[in-house]
Amino acid sequence: DAKTTQPNSMESNEEEPVHLPCNHSTISGTDYIHWYRQLPSQGPEYVIHGLTSNVNNRMASLAIAEDRKSSTLILHRATLRDAAVYYCILQGGSEKLVFGKGTKLTVNP
Amino acid sequence: ETGVTQTPRHLVMGMTNKKSLKCEQHLGHNAMYWYKQSAKKPLELMFVYNFKEQTENNSVPSRFSPECPNSSHLFLHLHTLQPEDSALYLCASSQDLREDLWPQYFGPGTRLLVL
């Protein structure tokens, strides 16, 4: 069973914010929430990760619900270069990352 | 540029051939990984190495043989592959195996076609 649920695809417009949702209702207290993205013809790229508190870095923000059963990756100002498949991954303890199908983000000019 | 390079970028091989994929990381990391990404399927972890020692083999067929001579280099030796082994093979590295602390950095992959 998949540990996370993401929409198959989303569209956004250039220079607008994008909110990518992820549901993880079976998350345990020690599971981290990781986000990676994969641009066309490239390997995956780390975006951000967090445990309980919201996180910000130069690429994105991660908003984690208070009950931790869902999270949202926020791209503050989408560019064409942000078009990619975005993966939300739960990882706990010594587990390795398990990639799902992700959300394919299309950015319209 | 992620600091992880893979060669070749594209490879076509017959089922009786023997070939090797090479991965090199210039990041000073201690852990290295091989993944397989087939068309329309999620990434699958194949092997994990930490300080040159294999720590994980996810039931990968023996026709795939990894080698890690040092922490900077990782090879995947291929022999008698099947057409269904055609896929994108991705290498990654991280500081160590603590996923909660250190992200993985991926190379661009080798696109393999088995005829």
Side-chain angles (χ1 to χ4, degrees):
Chain A
D1 288 336
K3 294 171 73 172
T4 64
T5 304
Q6 298 178 254
N8 289 334
S9 61
M10 289 185 63
E11 273 194 51
S12 69
N13 296 318
E14 203 175 6
E15 299 188 5
E16 291 184 356
V18 182
H19 291 234
L20 295 160
C22 182
N23 289 320
H24 29 78
S25 57
T26 60
I27 191 170
S28 74
T30 55
D31 282 344
Y32 280 77
I33 303 159
H34 299 258
W35 283 85
Y36 281 73
R37 71 180 185 181
Q38 187 170 16
L39 279 65
S41 302
Q42 294 188 29
E45 173 187 33
Y46 168 79
V47 179
I48 202 166
H49 80 291
L51 183 62
T52 56
S53 305
N54 295 343
V55 185
N56 300 295
N57 66 21
R58 63 175 181 80
M59 288 182 70
S61 295
L62 176 59
I64 301 173
E66 201 167 326
D67 64 5
R68 300 188 69 235
K69 294 186 176 182
S70 66
S71 60
T72 303
L73 180 70
I74 303 166
L75 307 179
H76 295 284
R77 205 160 157 268
T79 69
L80 296 178
R81 218 193 147 274
D82 291 320
V85 177
Y86 286 78
Y87 301 99
C88 170
I89 305 166
L90 291 190
Q91 176 270 329
S94 60
E95 291 177 345
K96 293 283 150 280
L97 299 179
V98 177
F99 289 77
K101 296 182 179 179
T103 297
K104 183 176 182 179
L105 175 66
T106 301
V107 180
N108 300 313
Chain B
E1 282 293 329
T2 63
V4 180
T5 59
Q6 290 187 244
T7 54
R9 293 294 308 276
H10 300 271
L11 178 63
V12 180
M13 61 186 289
M15 288 189 284
T16 58
N17 291 158
K18 288 185 180 181
K19 296 286 185 183
S20 296
L21 310 185
K22 178 183 176 182
C23 175
E24 184 173 1
Q25 56 96 0
H26 310 273
L27 302 168
H29 289 168
N30 298 308
M32 296 188 79
Y33 311 75
W34 277 118
Y35 288 86
K36 175 184 178 182
Q37 188 172 34
S38 305
K40 300 182 181 179
K41 288 177 70 174
L43 268 77
E44 301 171 62
L45 180 63
M46 299 174 73
F47 302 103
V48 181
Y49 278 81
N50 193 35
F51 291 97
K52 303 188 299 177
E53 298 298 320
Q54 187 180 116
T55 59
E56 199 151 331
N57 174 342
N58 276 350
S59 304
V60 180
S62 59
R63 57 185 183 270
F64 295 91
S65 176
E67 178 190 2
C68 189
N70 55 61
S71 292
S72 299
H73 294 86
L74 185 64
F75 295 89
L76 188 62
H77 303 299
L78 315 172
H79 61 99
T80 60
L81 293 194
Q82 304 299 312
E84 59 264 29
D85 296 321
S86 299
L88 180 68
Y89 289 85
L90 289 155
C91 173
S93 72
S94 61
Q95 184 63 43
D96 63 33
L97 297 181
R98 285 286 303 273
E99 303 275 13
D100 55 333
L101 292 179
W102 306 109
Q104 292 186 29
Y105 291 79
F106 285 79
T110 295
R111 177 74 61 186
L112 174 67
L113 178 61
V114 181
L115 299 175

